[in-house]
């Protein structure tokens, strides 16, 4: 699922805990306010590489400027059958 958010309409997204998510800024000088329900715990982080072909994400712009952490995310495990 994808949503485009912009400053002029005041919309936002709330994601349930544990939901995989990603975002792409479509304009320069974009600001993101990212709120959490708990203190940051790096050992609890996980991720999947955003360009994994199995995800099939149609990013609107070429993917660039990923952090070293995001670049290091692995693809989905070959035996991943989805969430049940």
């Amino acid at each position: 699922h994808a949503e485009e958010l912009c400053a002029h309409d005041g919309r936002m997204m709330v994601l349930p805990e544990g939901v995989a998510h990603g975002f792409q800024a479509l304009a320069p000088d974009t600001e993101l306010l990212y709120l959490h329900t708990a203190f940051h715990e790096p050992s609890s982080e996980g991720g999947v590489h955003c360009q994994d072909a199995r995800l099939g994400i149609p990013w609107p712009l070429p993917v660039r400027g990923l952090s070293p952490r995001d670049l290091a995310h692995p693809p989905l495990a070959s035996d991943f059958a989805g969430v049940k």
Side-chain angles (χ1 to χ4, degrees):
H1 180 81
E3 291 288 335
E4 187 171 333
L5 304 176
C6 57
H8 72 270
D9 64 18
R11 292 184 319 132
M12 65 180 215
M13 290 188 77
V14 177
L15 303 170
E17 290 183 45
V19 168
H21 59 280
F23 63 90
Q24 184 178 52
L26 302 178
D29 299 320
T30 297
E31 293 183 13
L32 172 72
L33 179 60
Y34 210 168
L35 303 173
H36 297 265
T37 58
F39 289 106
H40 181 239
E41 181 56 56
S43 64
S44 296
E45 290 183 351
V48 176
H49 199 283
C50 65
Q51 292 181 293
D52 184 331
R54 290 184 57 200
L55 295 174
I57 299 172
W59 296 105
L61 300 174
V63 175
R64 60 179 194 194
L66 293 174
S67 68
R69 181 182 74 91
D70 289 345
L71 283 169
H73 286 320
L76 283 173
S78 60
D79 61 349
F80 180 74
V83 178
K84 296 178 176 131

